[in-house]
Amino acid sequence: MRLINFAHGEFVTVSAYALIVPTADVTAKLFIGGWSWPLLILAILAFGMAIALLSNLLVFRRLRNAAPQNLMVVSFALGYIIQNLLMMVYGARPKAIGLWSSLTQATELGGIRIPLLQPVTIGVTLLLLLAILFFMRKTSFGIQMRAAAEDFRMARYLGVRADFVIALSFALSGLLAGVVALLYVVQTGLLAPTMGVNIVTFAFIATVIGGMGSLPGAVLGGLLVGIATSLLQAYLPDSIRAFRDAFVFLFVILLLLVRPSGIIRLKQFEERV
Amino acid sequence: MSEDHILRVTDLRIAYGRVQVLHGVSFDVPAGALVAIVGPNGAGKSSTLSAIAGGVAAAGDVRFDGRPILGLKPEAIARSGLSFVPEGRHVFASLSVEENLRIGTFMRGDRPRAERDLQLVLNYFPKLKERIRQAGGKLSGGEQQMLVIGRALMTQPKLMLIDEPSLGLAPRIVEEVYAILHRLRSQEGVSILVNEQSSRRVMNFVDEIIVLRDGRVQLKGRPSDLAKSHALHDAYFGTGTFDRDSGEAVH
Ligand SMILES: Nc1ncnc2c1ncn2[C@@H]1O[C@H](COP(=O)(O)OP(=O)(O)OP(=O)(O)O)[C@@H](O)[C@H]1O
Ligand SMILES: [Mg+2]
């Protein structure tokens, strides 16, 4: 199953909304968001995993033999459905939410004043990256996932359980969605039913320019998009700064014209062509 | 009867859409034997092995170790001790040689045994030992063939199905591969069923030959018996006449 899951953004959104009490009220009342932080983190990560696993169980599992492009369309549809369900339950308007606001206050760090959240985000990201690398390279589940990603049929002939490996990748993606939800909400202080769309768009771009299917590629792509965005933010004249994202996308198009398969090209994808 | 046959295939029928490619194929693999299915292009050899391994839907009856396995998931069949090496090798190119080999052990609970088996496989295929950290995709064709056979061995199979082990290999390497298969059969007690296009290459190594053509078994027998008559040639090319039940050529 080769799935580019655009509903991933909605996994993030759902995890974020789990922080508050489900009502259509304009003001948000903390639910899980009011718990002590270790419990809160665990609950949100579990929530992310649960929504991802549920999507697999109800939707993707039934479409295992569908073509990748069809699956992608399905994932778009699923994303919209989740967005609309969220709107029904929570209302369509964005809500302000104060979560761990001390993290966003500027602190003195090595002579510069930055919000503590930034080093925390970087630290968490690095840690997750290392954890994923370790998981994929050193554990039996990780090796099975890599084998299945490369040749699903052959992996099954070697006893790798198809259902299990797929569920595992969904669980992993849900876990990451939970982390992103927390970092994003703390940073923006906002909840909106469409908040996941932007996140997944940029993530998708990062993967594409980095090189589809390559973890180092995705990291590199993410870094590039991030740097391009902040440079544009800093140096674009005021009058056109609002179009910053358009310029980012322009940069992406130019890059793909030069390197159509992304920065890090995977041997396995070349061989298949 | 079922104790001395590790695999019993009865009236196996396969259709792709409306095209029937296997028309009721029956044969047995005796426990501890090395058996070859030979036949020309399109005879249905690969389809037969895939169906047994759970990769292709089929009708009929397949018993492995006495248990019916037709319709089970491929991973369930693999976990019951039947290891399939499909056409085209399918090395995991981005995984190292060692990771490729270890995939086969994850379904087993016995770590220490798995370590010993890794050493065993590396002893059978010393070339893999030299390249243990290399990416599987970087191996030569012959090395890849050794790797996939070794990988299948790591699942600790009672029966291995190997689709055209000689495909694309130089004659010297083919000899080497078959010598190893022969040793696996006699020393490790693994039963082996291979597919080949040409019977010539397997004659000296196998206990039994099954000739498949146009989706039907044309002839079965021991290579020594078949070599004496024209039956093998006739069955393979569809020339001459022979009695299908006894497998004897009628001239
Ligand atoms: N996936 C498939 N879909 C449709 N037809 C198929 C498929 N696989 C095989 N066939 C057809 O089934 C018949 C038997 O094919 P099979 O691959 O089993 O033959 P084979 O004996 O292995 O041949 P070869 O020696 O060329 O490998 C052929 O006519 C082939 O075209
Ligand atoms: Mg074939």
Side-chain angles (χ1 to χ4, degrees):
Chain A
M1 187 157 90
R2 301 211 160 268
L3 170 65
I4 297 171
N5 183 13
F6 278 96
H8 186 77
E10 277 62 44
F11 295 173
V12 175
T13 315
V14 171
S15 313
Y17 267 93
L19 288 165
I20 63 169
V21 177
T23 60
D25 294 351
V26 185
T27 47
K29 222 167 93 202
L30 290 180
F31 174 41
I32 294 179
W35 298 0
S36 69
W37 67 268
L39 212 59
L40 185 154
I41 292 176
L42 275 182
I44 293 302
L45 299 192
F47 213 88
M49 284 207 261
I51 180 75
L53 285 171
L54 206 65
S55 306
N56 176 36
L57 206 69
L58 296 179
V59 183
F60 294 112
R61 202 186 136 116
R62 291 156 204 281
L63 302 168
R64 187 169 303 158
N65 299 318
Q69 60 272 30
N70 296 356
L71 278 177
M72 196 164 96
V73 174
V74 168
S75 78
F76 265 120
L78 177 67
Y80 276 115
I81 292 172
I82 298 178
Q83 273 177 39
N84 283 287
L85 285 177
L86 282 171
M87 284 181 201
M88 278 164 61
V89 178
Y90 291 93
R93 297 180 55 182
K95 299 182 188 197
I97 168 177
L99 181 71
W100 299 337
S101 29
S102 57
L103 281 179
T104 50
Q105 274 150 26
T107 16
E108 188 92 22
L109 207 90
I112 41 170
R113 288 185 69 78
I114 47 165
L116 196 58
L117 183 64
Q118 287 184 3
V120 168
T121 304
I122 294 172
V124 168
T125 311
L126 277 179
L127 208 71
L128 278 175
L129 210 60
L130 287 178
I132 293 176
L133 271 180
F134 178 84
F135 178 79
M136 290 306 238
R137 306 237 150 245
K138 298 291 171 210
T139 69
S140 80
F141 292 155
I143 297 175
Q144 287 184 60
M145 276 176 73
R146 280 160 58 215
E150 201 181 310
D151 192 334
F152 196 62
R153 192 174 255 272
M154 189 61 233
R156 296 184 75 181
Y157 286 140
L158 289 165
V160 173
R161 288 204 173 100
D163 291 332
F164 176 75
V165 168
I166 291 180
L168 193 65
S169 8
F170 272 96
L172 211 60
S173 82
L175 184 104
L176 295 178
V179 177
V180 172
L182 285 176
L183 291 172
Y184 195 80
V185 166
V186 175
Q187 164 129 33
T188 60
L190 272 182
L191 289 173
T194 52
M195 63 190 266
V197 178
N198 238 340
I199 299 176
V200 84
T201 308
F202 274 93
F204 179 62
I205 289 169
T207 347
V208 170
I209 67 170
M212 239 358 170
S214 148
L215 187 59
V219 174
L220 203 64
L223 214 61
L224 265 177
V225 172
I227 291 171
T229 309
S230 11
L231 282 180
L232 286 168
Q233 175 74 23
Y235 294 112
L236 276 182
D238 280 348
S239 52
I240 52 171
R241 191 170 292 162
F243 303 110
R244 181 197 69 192
D245 288 355
F247 284 93
V248 175
F249 292 139
L250 185 72
F251 161 73
V252 168
I253 292 172
L254 289 179
L255 206 141
L256 285 181
L257 283 176
V258 185
R259 282 187 86 91
S261 44
I263 299 166
I264 295 184
R265 283 180 225 191
L266 283 194
K267 201 67 184 282
Q268 62 193 93
F269 283 97
E270 276 175 27
E271 275 170 1
R272 267 199 212 125
V273 179
Chain B
M1 194 68 181
S2 73
E3 276 93 64
D4 30 312
H5 286 108
I6 186 79
L7 185 73
R8 309 209 72 169
V9 177
T10 314
D11 196 26
L12 191 68
R13 280 162 286 130
I14 300 173
Y16 294 109
R18 292 199 177 162
V19 188
Q20 178 124 15
V21 298
L22 223 59
H23 310 270
V25 162
S26 304
F27 63 89
D28 302 327
V29 176
L34 175 48
V35 176
I37 300 177
V38 301
N41 284 124
K45 306 182 296 292
S46 298
S47 304
T48 304
L49 292 197
S50 295
I52 297 170
V56 169
D61 186 47
V62 177
R63 279 171 196 266
F64 169 57
D65 218 9
R67 292 193 318 127
I69 56 167
L70 216 54
L72 296 184
K73 290 179 185 171
E75 57 264 44
I77 295 175
R79 282 163 181 264
S80 72
L82 189 157
S83 202
F84 176 38
V85 180
E87 206 167 23
R89 305 206 178 109
H90 299 269
V91 161
F92 300 114
S94 65
L95 270 61
S96 73
V97 168
E98 181 173 353
E99 287 169 336
N100 265 281
L101 290 170
R102 282 198 190 278
I103 287 283
T105 65
F106 294 147
M107 62 187 202
R108 306 165 34 179
D110 48 350
R111 282 250 156 151
R113 249 331 274 281
E115 287 309 313
R116 262 201 297 150
D117 285 355
L118 182 63
Q119 293 314 315
L120 179 87
V121 166
L122 292 177
N123 285 341
Y124 269 98
F125 304 102
K127 279 192 193 127
L128 297 182
K129 200 186 270 178
E130 296 161 26
R131 313 206 179 285
I132 191 90
R133 305 247 164 269
Q134 227 173 61
K138 299 245 163 76
L139 298 183
S140 74
E143 288 162 351
Q144 291 198 6
Q145 189 65 63
M146 313 246 172
L147 178 55
V148 292
I149 294 174
R151 187 175 65 181
L153 264 178
M154 293 295 289
T155 66
Q156 226 179 13
K158 294 182 205 128
L159 172 67
M160 291 214 289
L161 311 180
I162 313 178
D163 200 343
E164 298 206 37
S166 71
L167 190 73
L169 301 185
R172 192 175 51 79
I173 309 286
V174 174
E175 293 273 314
E176 203 177 314
V177 168
Y178 269 97
I180 288 172
L181 290 181
H182 200 262
R183 264 173 65 206
L184 284 174
R185 158 195 163 285
S186 20
Q187 289 172 21
E188 314 299 330
V190 186
S191 314
I192 303 173
L193 175 63
V194 300
N195 271 355
E196 284 292 356
Q197 282 200 24
S198 137
S199 59
R200 195 165 30 90
R201 291 186 151 171
V202 297
M203 275 300 214
N204 301 330
F205 294 102
V206 301
D207 303 307
E208 199 182 318
I209 286 183
I210 298 161
V211 180
L212 194 70
R213 187 170 43 78
D214 298 333
R216 290 193 171 84
V217 173
Q218 308 288 346
L219 185 70
K220 300 180 226 185
R222 303 163 78 64
S224 51
D225 299 339
L226 297 180
K228 282 182 218 136
S229 66
H230 288 284
L232 184 60
H233 180 271
D234 291 345
Y236 191 97
F237 293 103
T239 54
T241 49
F242 51 89
D243 180 18
R244 232 174 239 159
D245 294 327
S246 67
E248 296 282 312
V250 184
H251 283 281

